[in-house]
Amino acid sequence: MTSDYEKRQVAQADQICIDEQDALYNAQQIGDGGKLGLRKLTLKLLTWGVETRGIYPVPREQRTDQHFHKIFFIWFSLDFDILSFSSGTIGPLVYGLSLRDSCLVILFFNILCCTPPAYLSTWGPKLGLRQMCQARYSFGYYGAIIPSILNLMTMTGFMILNCILGGQTLAAVSDGHLDWTVGIVIIGVFSLLVSFCGLKVIYWRAHMDSLWYERLCWIPVLVVYVVLLGFGGKHLSNPPPAVPATVATVLSFASVIAGFVITCGPMASDFTTYLDARVSSWKIFTYAYLGFFIPIVSLQCLGAAVAVAIPLVPAWNAAYAEESIGELFVAILAPAGGFGKFLVVLISLNVTANIAPTMYSFGMSFQVFIPFCVHLPRYVFSVFAAAVTVPLAIVGAHRFYSTLTNFLGLIGYWASCFTAVVLMEHFVFRAHARALVAARSSGSYSGKTANSPVSPESYSLDAFANYDLAMWNVPSALPPGFAAITASALSFALVIPCMDQVWFVGPIARSTGDIGFEVAFVVTALLYVPLRYAEVRCKGRL
């Protein structure tokens, strides 16, 4: 049995290997930064431990990290925050659902919707590609710009919501000495500082033998919620709703729950590209799935329980008059005095655990959106993300619940289309490449190069081996993307009638509720297969 000492030695060797290889990459980034007038700044930031690596693939020899549990902790920490709590309150407060109905929707739809992002997390170790780079193998080099733009908008939306919540909560505990605007700025700047240094700080890996930070950072937040239950638990109950639940309200709330988690899929593998390529996919899937499921379900159910009790507790109802979750936390923890205020500060600062990794992935998607930006160091995009997020959060701070409900309802549609495309590409086309690829002629084959038909025998029975990683940034060697874009676009012919939003209710949704994300997934998958098959037949290659 391997001793703890031996494990530490292996971990140190792996870290030295990764650091040496990152140094080579950083040297390239310094050169690129010099061309853009950023050489001195990049050199200085590298001495501070700032990570500059962007979307360049991580070679197999660099995928050596065996701390597989970290993917559980990064998703657990990312989702163990006030936004998960707030999204659970939507069921009772917006849709009038009872606690039982809200919790059942939360439980069963999270069981389903945690699966796609958890599975996509397993692709990072196998391919060494960031999620939006992987999308190029179905959407094409230029076609992938579209989901990248949508992903940038989604991540910006989540950062805005978290900045609003963190800023409101900081302001609530200051007794009027700090307004929402200043609180939002503090949260945005603090998150920027963390994201600046990339995964090494997010994981707290640099120069440490053990990964204690990622294992322990969620414990103070857990203490906050335990104390909150201790003081507020006596008020929690399950009174009957004023209006019985309908299929429409249940499915509309379900679309919000789905939008909350399924949109993690387009950035899922961004955090797993350094993990050992030999790891079992089941191990990564399990860690990622539990990292999503446990915090989201527990906090959303707690949020629903507190929301049901708000009208029954005068102090809570008064605190929540301005739709401020921060004021609600202050009211619940008021009996704890100064300690309660300290806990509220902790919970407000915890939103950085969500914003900082999102800023990290923001840079990856931006480099796919504008390919030229691959030459820019990653920290540039974190600064840009903060510059966009903070002003928009200040503007939207006083319309939090309408912003939250509309945002979560809308983003699920495109994420469902994206997930359907990449899964169909993998399971139908990459897994069965030999059977599907038809040569244009019976003549000789020139190999898997741009625009050339290839021999079916040149493809592997292993789906992951059929992603030609050398062609990740060669437009002519990647799929044209017409099938993916067309299938996604055509699916909205049925998605739109199934939408139930504040500003629009489709004819189907009037009787069924919002089933847009389910329809988007099914229709896109059904359309993509024949359209992509036509592409393959036309080109004679994947």
Side-chain angles (χ1 to χ4, degrees), residues 40-55:
K40 290 184 178 180
L41 177 61
T42 301
L43 277 170
K44 185 65 175 177
L45 292 175
L46 284 172
T47 64
W48 295 346
V50 171
E51 181 192 356
T52 60
R53 177 182 287 273
I55 60 171

Side-chain angles (χ1 to χ4, degrees), residues 76-89 161-170 187 221 224-225 228 260 295 299-300 302-303 324-329 343-354 400-401 404:
F76 187 95
S77 299
L78 192 148
D79 291 314
F80 201 58
D81 67 349
I82 321 177
L83 188 56
S84 294
F85 178 93
S86 300
S87 61
T89 65
L161 292 172
N162 275 293
C163 277
I164 291 173
L165 283 171
Q168 285 180 347
T169 308
L170 271 181
I187 294 297
V221 184
V224 174
Y225 286 116
L228 182 143
F260 187 85
L299 289 190
Q300 286 181 342
L302 177 60
S324 170
I325 294 294
E327 294 286 355
L328 179 61
F329 272 86
L343 294 179
V344 174
V345 173
L346 282 182
I347 203 71
S348 68
L349 295 178
N350 175 251
V351 300
T352 60
N354 185 295
F400 174 71
Y401 262 96
L404 176 63

Side-chain angles (χ1 to χ4, degrees), residues 10 30 40 76 150 167 172 194 304 368 375 412 445 478 482:
V10 170
I30 292 170
K40 290 184 178 180
F76 187 95
L150 294 171
V194 176
V368 176
H375 299 293
Y445 299 102
L478 294 166
F482 298 128

Side-chain angles (χ1 to χ4, degrees), residues 99-381:
L99 177 58
R100 186 200 66 173
D101 293 336
S102 296
C103 289
L104 287 175
V105 172
I106 289 167
L107 175 62
F108 287 109
F109 275 86
N110 274 302
I111 288 175
L112 173 67
C113 294
C114 288
T115 302
Y119 175 67
L120 292 177
S121 295
T122 68
W123 291 17
K126 302 299 183 185
L127 298 175
L129 288 173
R130 313 292 182 165
Q131 198 68 62
M132 280 298 143
C133 280
Q134 294 173 15
R136 287 177 172 176
Y137 290 83
S138 48
F139 282 88
Y141 184 85
Y142 297 107
I145 291 174
I146 296 175
S148 295
I149 293 172
L150 294 171
N151 197 35
L152 288 169
M153 294 170 63
T154 298
M155 289 188 287
T156 302
F158 274 114
M159 290 188 290
I160 289 170
L161 292 172
N162 275 293
C163 277
I164 291 173
L165 283 171
Q168 285 180 347
T169 308
L170 271 181
V173 80
S174 68
D175 295 326
H177 299 294
L178 188 75
D179 64 14
W180 288 6
T181 299
V182 177
I184 288 170
V185 171
I186 291 172
I187 294 297
V189 172
F190 188 57
S191 301
L192 174 63
L193 293 176
V194 176
S195 73
F196 231 52
C197 298
L199 289 179
K200 285 187 177 181
V201 169
I202 293 171
Y203 287 148
W204 207 282
R205 291 180 59 237
H207 312 300
M208 293 184 66
D209 294 335
S210 300
L211 307 176
W212 289 111
Y213 175 74
E214 67 197 43
R215 295 176 183 174
L216 301 177
C217 68
W218 53 272
I219 292 180
V221 184
L222 177 62
V223 170
V224 174
Y225 286 116
V226 170
V227 174
L228 182 143
L229 276 172
F231 284 104
K234 62 185 178 181
H235 299 294
L236 302 183
S237 60
N238 186 23
V243 179
T246 64
V247 173
T249 55
V250 167
L251 289 177
S252 295
F253 179 48
S255 72
V256 173
I257 298 302
F260 187 85
V261 65
I262 202 171
T263 46
C264 294
M267 66 177 189
S269 70
D270 290 358
F271 306 105
T272 59
T273 52
Y274 283 102
L275 298 182
D276 196 322
R278 298 166 296 178
V279 63
S280 165
S281 293
W282 277 107
K283 180 177 287 189
I284 299 297
F285 175 84
T286 302
Y287 277 132
Y289 187 89
L290 294 176
F292 288 116
F293 186 79
I294 294 174
I296 291 175
V297 171
S298 58
L299 289 190
Q300 286 181 342
C301 287
L302 177 60
V306 171
V308 168
I310 286 175
L312 308 178
V313 184
W316 296 8
N317 200 29
Y320 189 69
E322 294 187 22
E323 295 188 353
S324 170
I325 294 294
E327 294 286 355
L328 179 61
F329 272 86
V330 170
I332 297 173
L333 294 171
F339 180 63
K341 290 186 176 181
F342 171 72
L343 294 179
V344 174
V345 173
L346 282 182
I347 203 71
S348 68
L349 295 178
N350 175 251
V351 300
T352 60
N354 185 295
I355 300 173
T358 306
M359 283 184 174
Y360 179 86
S361 282
F362 184 94
M364 309 303 173
S365 284
F366 205 97
Q367 290 178 329
V368 176
F369 165 42
I370 304 179
F372 170 78
C373 291
V374 72
H375 299 293
L376 288 174
R378 189 199 54 77
Y379 62 80
V380 172
F381 305 103

Side-chain angles (χ1 to χ4, degrees), residues 432-497:
H432 301 95
R434 285 189 178 181
L436 292 171
V437 170
R440 291 176 179 173
S441 68
S442 58
S444 61
Y445 299 102
S446 59
K448 289 191 285 185
T449 56
N451 292 323
S452 300
V454 299
S455 168
E457 287 72 25
S458 66
Y459 287 101
S460 171
L461 296 176
D462 178 11
F464 287 108
N466 292 325
Y467 293 86
D468 191 349
L469 301 182
M471 301 297 176
W472 72 279
N473 63 345
V474 181
S476 58
L478 294 166
F482 298 128
I485 296 170
T486 302
S488 300
L490 290 179
S491 71
F492 275 81
L494 275 178
V495 169
I496 292 174

Side-chain angles (χ1 to χ4, degrees), residues 385-438:
V388 171
T389 298
V390 171
L392 292 177
I394 293 171
V395 171
H398 293 277
R399 295 181 294 274
F400 174 71
Y401 262 96
S402 59
T403 304
L404 176 63
T405 305
N406 291 336
F407 172 72
L408 292 180
L410 280 173
I411 59 177
Y413 306 141
W414 87 265
S416 290
C417 294
F418 174 86
T419 303
V421 167
V422 296
L423 291 182
M424 290 300 102
E425 175 68 25
H426 184 76
F427 287 113
V428 176
F429 294 94
R430 300 292 164 173
H432 301 95
R434 285 189 178 181
L436 292 171
V437 170

